Amino acid sequence: MSAARRLLPPLILVLLGVLLTPVAATAAPRSALPGTLHLQMVPPIRGVPVAVDGNTGRSDAKGRVNVRVRNFLGLDKRLTVGSAAVGVDRRVMLDRIRGSLDHGVRDRVVEVGLRTVRRVSWRYTDRFGSPVPTRRATAMQLRSNTGEIIELTGDQLTRPLWVAESRTQQGPRGLASKRLYYVVDAVMVDGTSVVNRAGQKFVPWDRQSWVVQLLFFKVSFTASDMFFPRRAGSGIRLTRADGRVQHLGFASDGTVLVPDLPRGTYTLTVRGGGLSFGRPVTISRDQEVTLTVISIVDLALVAVGVLGVAVGLVLLGRPHLRRPLRALRSAARRRRRPRAAAGLVLVLVTVAAASLPAARAPAASVRSGSRPAAAPATPPAPVPVLAYYYIWFNPSSWNRAKIDYPVLGRYSSDDEEIMRRHVRMAKAAGITGFLVSWKHTVQLDERLAALVEVARAESFRLGIVYQGIDFSRKPLPLATVRTDLAVFAERYAADPVFGIFDQPVVIWNGSDRYSAAEVADTVRQAQEKLQVLGTAKSVSVVNSQSSLDGQAYYWSSADPLADRSRDKLTAMSRAVHLRGGLWIAPVSPGFDARQIGGRREVPRRDGETLRASFAAAQLSQPDALGVISWNEFTENTYVEPSEQWGSRYLLVLADLLGVAPNPDAQLDSSTADGDDWGLPAWAALTLTVGVVVLVPLWLYRRRRRARAAATPSTPSGAARSEEAPLHH
């Protein structure tokens, strides 16, 4: 019995161990336990501050940081990546996080995408590298490769500038940092731009100190008499593009040299020595400009010539007056004197009049239908602007459910010239590229190939909207989707025309009709070469399609002035970016699908709908803007110029993007100088004097002939014999 009592305690311990073993199996999940969160900054930058649960850390030289956390639940709300200066000339801020922070529980490294800004400065030089004082410039315009436009004036030209340096985007193997660059569109000196538009490119990541080369030229001016080979005048009056007038005197050799004249057009007038008319001259290279002066002797010669013409005309109608001249001519021959000066002048004037160039309107004239560029009502979009583009049209397509038609006519999508004109109109309005509606058929393959060639020739970009639904809007078989994506990837994955982002963008229309597992399995192989985006219409669908590379919401029927579309777009963007995806936000000018059975109409409101939609899309922090649409004439969302609206909505879009609808052509070094700006001064003077003298003479002769025709010329006796029978 005592032995049994001695064995009882060990038995009880064993029993308790067996009973407690299942409890160990239901212990708290690892994500609820303390641990270390491993983060990798993209790009790898030292000194980025990270804080969570009161613990802070900074990234090392490789951009890595490890932070202790009490658990991995809800880290999205507890983690803070601070905006901070990581150097005297660089700042960073959180852009996006790839995947979920809960991945850290499995000792994985979570990628944190950063936006960086950098402080840059610049100086100006001429074509030969000599410094140009900054005070000579009055304004400068910079443009980034994402479309951001920076205008600098006054003191801003002398101070360093903070500019966006890089941003992150989803790549095939995780987040990738994309370096931004800037081009110089204009530098204004004396009212004219002295750079070739987009001719100079600067990458802030590589260089902080920029050297901007300005186009100044060495120009020599001189003046000569109109008819005689001799110098004339005492100097020139030079009017610059900004209206400033400068008086320059001739040196002893009769010339005046301006060594640093900005490229542009000037009005020149000779001072002293006679009469000089203002002459516009375009300066685009080192050159010599000779102006013309009408002296007193020239005026006298022209007057004698015109008088000779008048006398000659009078003599032609008065034969009896030519007899004394014949006698004088005979005497002159006997004395071997030259022919009278009047005849010589007559020949000269006739030749001069025959060589007069046709008058031409000055370059400053405004083209019909154009309007001056106004300051954009909203800031320009700093992201690619893509318009949804349809290649479904046949001539018969316009006979169904249309209330408006393109100004280019009821075209077919096979017409490459139509494609070219579409691309050029879109580029002029600030559109970066088209999102082309496509699926793998013989006809659409041919049309897409033609559009690719047009876009390549016009330096335009393309993306794809893969139509994964049929005409009745039923989803296509997944095997068909997989095959079509593979065909597109094989043909175009390496084509620069599709280089909007690091890899070609394909938006899978209809992806929300499948399960998350089906979507992931279908796009897995295509994602090696493509970025496949979905068309989710809610945050829940976005969260369920984590295998996709982002979302492009095709929401054309929203009324931004009545609905809460802004809040929905912001929520969609947040959900997409939380998973490290691309977000293409919708922009639409209006909507009307009643011709195909719909009941929804969103009025255009003369552009206010488009402006409000643009503002809502921008606030969602998109990676690109998707304009719905270029040519969807069935749902009436088009911005293509049409018979009903003209170019109204393309102009509104251009205004929103900060693009002038009809920008003036920029001068370059190949611009011809010395253009014919109407009649030369001497020709204008000759024509004026001739009109003043000859018109009255012509009127006088006409009246004389009229009176002569009204007076009977028969003898008086004959008249009486004919009139006699009237008295009987």
Side-chain angles (χ1 to χ4, degrees):
M1 191 71 177
S2 60
R5 289 177 180 173
R6 286 195 299 270
L7 293 174
L8 183 60
L11 290 175
I12 293 175
L13 291 176
V14 171
L15 180 62
L16 289 175
V18 173
L19 293 175
L20 292 177
T21 298
V23 176
T26 59
R30 189 175 176 186
S31 60
L33 300 175
T36 300
L37 178 63
H38 305 280
L39 302 176
Q40 172 65 58
M41 302 298 154
V42 180
I45 295 178
R46 178 197 292 271
V48 180
V50 177
V52 59
D53 297 341
N55 298 321
T56 60
R58 287 184 177 270
S59 58
D60 59 19
K62 295 183 179 180
R64 299 172 181 171
V65 59
N66 302 321
V67 184
R68 292 290 298 174
V69 296
R70 64 173 180 265
N71 57 56
F72 292 85
L73 303 177
L75 273 179
D76 295 340
K77 298 179 180 179
R78 292 155 46 202
L79 177 70
T80 301
V81 180
S83 300
V86 293
V88 295
D89 57 5
R90 178 176 283 157
R91 298 172 183 166
V92 299
M93 60 198 72
L94 177 63
D95 190 9
R96 66 183 72 199
I97 296 176
R98 181 174 184 257
S100 173
L101 289 173
D102 291 348
H103 289 173
V105 74
R106 294 186 291 273
D107 295 327
R108 293 183 180 179
V109 176
V110 178
E111 291 183 329
V112 178
L114 302 174
R115 288 179 181 259
T116 68
V117 296
R118 197 162 198 183
R119 185 173 63 177
V120 299
S121 60
W122 54 87
R123 59 186 178 89
Y124 301 125
T125 68
D126 63 15
R127 295 176 296 142
F128 306 104
S130 299
V132 175
T134 305
R135 64 177 180 275
R136 292 202 62 179
T138 57
M140 180 167 67
Q141 178 176 291
L142 305 174
R143 177 167 50 89
S144 74
N145 59 317
T146 60
E148 179 186 8
I149 296 177
I150 302 175
E151 299 276 0
L152 302 171
T153 58
D155 293 341
Q156 295 173 329
L157 296 171
T158 62
R159 299 196 301 264
L161 176 70
W162 288 91
V163 297
E165 179 188 32
S166 70
R167 51 178 293 191
T168 55
Q169 59 188 37
Q170 181 69 43
R173 297 177 180 83
L175 296 182
S177 178
K178 181 176 181 180
R179 298 177 183 181
L180 307 182
Y181 66 82
Y182 294 80
V183 295
V184 182
D185 277 348
V187 175
M188 303 302 295
V189 176
D190 298 343
T192 182
S193 178
V194 290
V195 296
N196 292 326
R197 180 181 174 87
Q200 301 179 68
K201 172 182 172 181
F202 302 100
V203 182
W205 190 282
D206 298 332
R207 182 183 302 175
Q208 294 174 256
S209 181
W210 302 348
V211 178
V212 182
Q213 187 181 91
L214 308 183
L215 297 176
F216 289 93
F217 299 101
K218 181 171 63 176
V219 185
S220 175
F221 298 98
T222 186
S224 64
D225 189 274
M226 181 176 67
F227 289 142
F228 303 99
R230 62 186 181 87
R231 298 171 186 167
S234 60
I236 64 169
R237 182 177 185 268
L238 186 147
T239 303
R240 299 176 182 262
D242 59 0
R244 184 164 58 91
V245 177
Q246 186 176 7
H247 296 279
L248 303 172
F250 289 137
S252 57
D253 61 351
T255 64
V256 57
L257 178 66
V258 182
D260 57 349
L261 195 63
R263 190 266 310 271
T265 300
Y266 300 84
T267 301
L268 302 172
T269 307
V270 180
R271 300 165 50 210
L275 181 63
S276 175
F277 296 91
R279 173 190 170 188
V281 175
T282 298
I283 303 299
S284 60
R285 57 181 174 84
D286 295 340
Q287 62 194 87
E288 296 180 358
V289 177
T290 301
L291 306 173
T292 300
V293 177
I294 304 173
S295 65
I296 299 299
V297 177
D298 299 330
L299 291 172
L301 184 60
V302 172
V304 170
V306 174
L307 182 60
V309 173
V311 171
L313 291 175
V314 172
L315 294 178
L316 288 175
R318 298 292 186 272
H320 63 281
L321 295 179
R322 295 201 296 268
R323 294 169 190 158
L325 292 179
R326 293 194 189 100
L328 290 175
R329 185 162 44 191
S330 299
R333 287 173 181 170
R334 289 192 296 269
R335 291 190 297 269
R336 296 180 180 179
R337 291 180 178 176
R339 184 172 296 185
L344 177 60
V345 174
L346 176 60
V347 174
L348 291 175
V349 172
T350 303
V351 173
S355 63
L356 293 180
R360 191 171 70 178
S365 61
V366 180
R367 289 172 293 192
S368 174
S370 67
R371 65 171 186 170
T378 58
V383 296
V385 180
L386 312 172
Y388 287 85
Y389 186 80
Y390 295 92
I391 54 175
W392 310 91
F393 293 102
N394 296 313
S396 59
S397 303
W398 303 101
N399 299 328
R400 174 183 177 271
K402 304 292 187 295
I403 59 176
D404 195 9
Y405 304 95
V407 295
L408 297 180
R410 304 182 186 189
Y411 50 75
S412 170
S413 293
D414 294 305
D415 192 335
E416 291 187 25
E417 182 57 29
I418 291 294
M419 294 179 181
R420 185 173 294 105
R421 297 184 68 176
H422 283 168
V423 167
R424 290 178 178 176
M425 286 190 290
K427 284 184 64 178
I431 295 174
T432 310
F434 285 152
L435 294 171
V436 187
S437 183
W438 170 86
K439 58 184 173 184
H440 181 34
T441 67
V442 174
Q443 184 182 59
L444 294 182
D445 287 351
E446 293 175 351
R447 291 175 175 178
L448 177 61
L451 181 59
V452 168
E453 294 305 316
V454 170
R456 179 178 292 109
E458 300 293 335
S459 299
F460 198 62
R461 294 291 178 262
L462 300 177
I464 291 296
V465 179
Y466 174 70
Q467 295 296 340
I469 54 178
D470 59 20
F471 188 79
S472 59
R473 305 195 67 79
K474 294 181 180 179
L476 299 179
L478 288 174
T480 301
V481 176
R482 188 180 295 108
T483 300
D484 289 358
L485 292 179
V487 168
F488 176 80
E490 181 181 357
R491 293 179 181 176
Y492 298 114
D495 197 321
V497 168
F498 293 89
I500 301 172
F501 298 103
D502 285 346
Q503 290 181 310
V505 170
V506 175
I507 302 170
W508 180 5
N509 183 22
S511 60
D512 54 346
R513 307 291 185 91
Y514 308 92
S515 69
E518 290 174 328
V519 169
D521 181 67
T522 302
V523 302
R524 183 177 295 110
Q525 185 174 358
Q527 285 177 319
E528 295 178 1
K529 299 180 179 180
L530 309 174
Q531 294 187 83
V532 183
L533 279 60
T535 54
K537 298 178 177 61
S538 66
V539 173
S540 60
V541 177
V542 171
N543 292 333
S544 68
Q545 294 185 342
S546 59
S547 60
L548 294 175
D549 297 311
Q551 297 288 335
Y553 188 12
Y554 194 96
W555 194 16
S556 58
S557 60
D559 189 340
L561 295 174
D563 303 333
R564 298 184 61 85
S565 58
R566 179 176 301 181
D567 296 340
K568 184 171 183 179
L569 294 182
T570 301
M572 293 277 288
S573 171
R574 186 182 299 114
V576 173
H577 284 158
L578 185 62
R579 297 182 175 276
L582 292 175
W583 164 242
I584 300 180
V587 176
S588 179
F591 178 86
D592 185 357
R594 291 176 295 176
Q595 294 294 316
I596 53 175
R599 299 180 180 180
R600 177 78 167 172
E601 178 191 9
V602 179
R604 295 192 172 220
R605 303 183 180 97
D606 194 33
E608 291 307 308
T609 301
L610 178 56
R611 293 183 183 277
S613 178
F614 185 91
Q618 274 193 314
L619 287 176
S620 71
Q621 298 181 352
D623 298 291
L625 294 176
V627 178
I628 307 174
S629 61
W630 177 263
N631 58 347
E632 223 299 5
F633 280 81
T634 300
E635 295 182 350
N636 295 284
T637 61
Y638 51 87
V639 295
E640 178 186 354
S642 70
E643 294 177 357
Q644 180 178 357
W645 305 112
S647 300
R648 170 61 181 161
Y649 293 92
L650 203 56
L651 294 178
V652 172
L653 182 62
D655 187 47
L656 289 168
L657 298 175
V659 177
N662 291 302
D664 293 334
Q666 294 289 328
L667 297 172
D668 58 28
S669 58
S670 63
T671 302
D673 58 281
D675 292 338
D676 293 330
W677 292 74
L679 298 176
W682 67 268
L685 180 63
T686 302
L687 183 61
T688 301
V689 175
V691 170
V692 170
V693 174
L694 295 179
V695 170
L697 181 61
W698 176 76
L699 292 175
Y700 172 74
R701 287 179 54 79
R702 185 177 180 183
R703 291 194 187 98
R704 288 285 303 272
R705 290 179 178 177
R707 286 198 297 269
T711 303
S713 59
T714 57
S716 58
R720 283 194 298 269
S721 65
E722 292 175 358
E723 294 172 357
L726 297 177
H727 294 286
H728 292 287

